[in-house]
Amino acid sequence: MNVRAGVVAAVRGLGLALLSVLCSLVLFCLSMVSLALLPVGMGLLTTPWLIRRVRANADLRRRLAGQWCGVDIDTPYRPVPPVENGLVGQVQRCRWLLKDPATWRDLAWLIVDPIAGFALGILALGLVGYGLLGPVLAAGLWRPLRDVGYWYGFVPVDDQLSALAAAGLGVVLIVLGLRYDPAILRVHGLLTRVFLAPDRERVLQMRIERLQNSRADAVDVSAAELRRIERDLHDGAQARLVAVGMSLGTIEHLLRTNPEKAAQLVAETRRSSVEALEELRQLVRGIHPPVLAERGLGDAVRALALRSPVRCEVGIEPIGRMAAPVEAAAYFSVSEMLTNVAKHARAERVWIDMRHEEGMLRVTVTDDGRGGADPAAGSGLAGLERRLGAFDGILAVHSPAGGPTTATIELPCEVLTRPS
């Protein structure tokens, strides 16, 4: 039993209960009044403003469901179309908002939240809060209450013995609260998701939009990769091979006039050819590392950990082989995350965990560095998101200031061959 988690859940239950009454109930009453005023025209001015407040409240509850209840909820709203200014634009905006199914789901939530949401929040608080009253009664509070016939739960408190029984009941309630309050909050989050999550049509539409964006990103990434390969070939191996060809022509001439100089140039040409071959190998390794092709993703990630300047601990379950593009995406994602740790995190240790569960490849990289990593800040993590998006994968980063940082990638994929 995690005592701290239980206490935090009780306090959060109080916060959710207050939001249910102070926000949801008030917004519901105002929204009903505004909708009732639509036939007389005044509602055209108040309804769009109120619906924006309702959506802000719903967005807040979605965030709290993820942060407090562990239930992630996507935003279901459709993009706002351009509208005209003035009264005509106000009518268009109001009509568009009322046609959005998410608006009515938000309003339905305003009915349910002050009842079921409030009850769950108060239950999470009450188990611990009401339980604390039992020991307080046993400490002496029962004396001024014995003449009023006070009952603590099902225990009539009228003497020290009954107060001790109330204390025992209170301890039981506290234990139950500390044990089950996080689960109660999760039920609250699941209830929130029923009303505030996108419906099936919107989920499919969002998935299509995400796939379209990821396809465009994949095309951009592929074009950038081709340009990099062309640049590396032109500036590196190609230039060296051209120099080798010119040196061979000079050697052919010197063999008849200055054999000693020709022999010296042959040695230099040999070194240039070796360097060109090594550059070609490095280029091929950057496209698809040989260890990944020969040994699989697990051994390739272990090789990355061995080369990392930060001490790495690796926990990899036997997975088998997956599609080559998926393995490459996961490999380069881990490589990028380890590079970021070495450059920016000021970490002393890194932990890598990789497993395949329920059709999903999950790789988690955790470091003990200074934290503060943010994919939205335009860092290399944003590039990772684009790379993973091409495979309908996701990147989740939790990096509070001061650390630690945990970055998790998830890629939907199938295992083609099981480990032997």
Side-chain angles (χ1 to χ4, degrees):
M1 180 177 62
N2 191 330
V3 175
R4 181 178 181 277
V7 173
V8 170
V11 175
R12 289 174 174 174
L14 173 62
L16 293 174
L18 291 176
L19 286 174
S20 300
V21 176
L22 299 179
C23 293
S24 296
L25 184 58
V26 173
L27 284 173
F28 174 74
C29 295
L30 293 176
S31 299
M32 293 301 101
V33 172
S34 181
L35 292 175
L37 294 175
L38 281 175
V40 298
M42 188 176 296
L44 295 175
L45 300 176
T46 59
T47 300
W49 183 87
L50 271 172
I51 290 179
R52 286 196 294 270
R53 305 287 84 74
V54 170
R55 291 189 169 189
N57 175 67
D59 285 335
L60 172 63
R61 303 305 293 272
R62 292 186 190 95
R63 289 196 302 272
L64 294 181
Q67 297 170 3
W68 290 3
C69 308
V71 179
D72 294 326
I73 306 175
D74 292 327
T75 301
Y77 305 123
R78 298 171 178 173
V80 180
V83 294
E84 301 178 8
N85 295 323
L87 182 59
V88 175
Q90 193 73 6
V91 174
Q92 291 175 338
R93 187 178 295 107
C94 185
R95 181 184 302 169
W96 178 84
L97 288 171
L98 294 178
K99 284 184 176 181
D100 190 346
T103 299
W104 298 102
R105 292 170 67 87
D106 288 351
L107 293 175
W109 168 247
L110 296 182
I111 301 174
V112 174
D113 187 36
I115 302 172
F118 178 81
L120 289 170
I122 286 297
L123 177 61
L125 173 68
L127 285 174
V128 175
Y130 189 63
L132 291 173
L133 180 59
V136 174
L137 288 170
L141 184 61
W142 65 272
R143 290 185 175 88
L145 297 177
R146 59 183 170 183
D147 295 332
V148 299
Y150 180 77
W151 285 66
Y152 180 77
F154 55 83
V155 178
V157 180
D158 51 13
D159 56 21
Q160 185 64 51
L161 183 61
S162 60
L164 291 175
L169 177 59
V171 171
V172 172
L173 292 177
I174 292 173
V175 172
L176 290 176
L178 296 177
R179 173 65 178 85
Y180 292 106
D181 274 0
I184 294 173
L185 281 195
R186 180 162 182 83
V187 173
H188 192 290
L190 294 174
L191 176 67
T192 306
R193 185 165 64 183
V194 169
F195 289 89
L196 299 185
D199 56 19
R200 181 174 178 81
E201 179 182 355
R202 181 58 182 153
V203 168
L204 293 176
Q205 183 180 356
M206 293 170 61
R207 182 177 177 85
I208 292 172
E209 293 173 355
R210 186 163 55 246
L211 290 176
Q212 288 175 338
N213 293 333
S214 65
R215 183 181 63 181
D217 289 337
V219 172
D220 293 340
V221 169
S222 298
E225 187 70 10
L226 286 175
R227 288 193 297 270
R228 181 189 69 82
I229 294 172
E230 292 174 355
R231 184 177 63 252
D232 291 346
L233 285 173
H234 182 272
D235 297 340
Q238 179 178 329
R240 292 188 182 278
L241 291 175
V242 170
V244 168
M246 296 175 63
S247 298
L248 289 175
T250 304
I251 291 170
E252 185 179 6
H253 175 71
L254 290 176
L255 283 175
R256 295 189 297 269
T257 60
N258 191 346
E260 294 181 0
K261 183 65 175 178
Q264 181 181 356
L265 195 56
V266 165
E268 294 177 358
T269 303
R270 184 187 304 113
R271 286 194 297 271
S272 295
S273 65
V274 171
E275 292 174 356
L277 180 61
E278 181 61 26
E279 288 186 0
L280 288 173
R281 286 174 176 169
Q282 292 292 339
L283 183 63
V284 171
R285 188 175 292 113
I287 298 173
H288 197 78
V291 66
L292 181 62
E294 297 170 3
R295 304 288 299 275
L297 182 59
D299 287 341
V301 170
R302 291 188 182 94
L304 284 175
L306 290 174
R307 293 198 300 269
S308 173
V310 183
R311 180 183 174 186
C312 290
E313 295 185 11
V314 181
I316 300 178
E317 295 185 353
I319 296 175
R321 300 306 300 268
M322 292 158 286
V326 173
E327 290 188 338
Y331 173 85
F332 286 112
S333 296
V334 174
S335 177
E336 178 69 22
M337 287 190 285
L338 291 178
T339 301
N340 287 342
V341 170
K343 287 184 177 180
H344 309 296
R346 299 178 186 174
E348 297 182 357
R349 299 179 68 182
V350 180
W351 295 265
I352 303 175
D353 179 78
M354 185 170 69
R355 62 190 67 225
H356 187 277
E357 298 175 338
E358 300 176 355
M360 191 76 68
L361 174 66
R362 292 183 178 88
V363 184
T364 302
V365 178
T366 305
D367 68 76
D368 61 355
R370 60 179 180 174
D374 183 9
S379 62
L381 295 176
L384 279 186
E385 287 186 317
R386 290 193 298 270
R387 180 192 292 271
L388 297 172
F391 300 89
D392 204 17
I394 61 172
L395 168 68
V397 179
H398 178 69
S399 183
T405 296
T406 301
T408 301
I409 64 171
E410 293 188 351
L411 283 166
C413 61
E414 295 182 359
V415 176
L416 303 181
T417 57
R418 296 291 177 181
S420 56

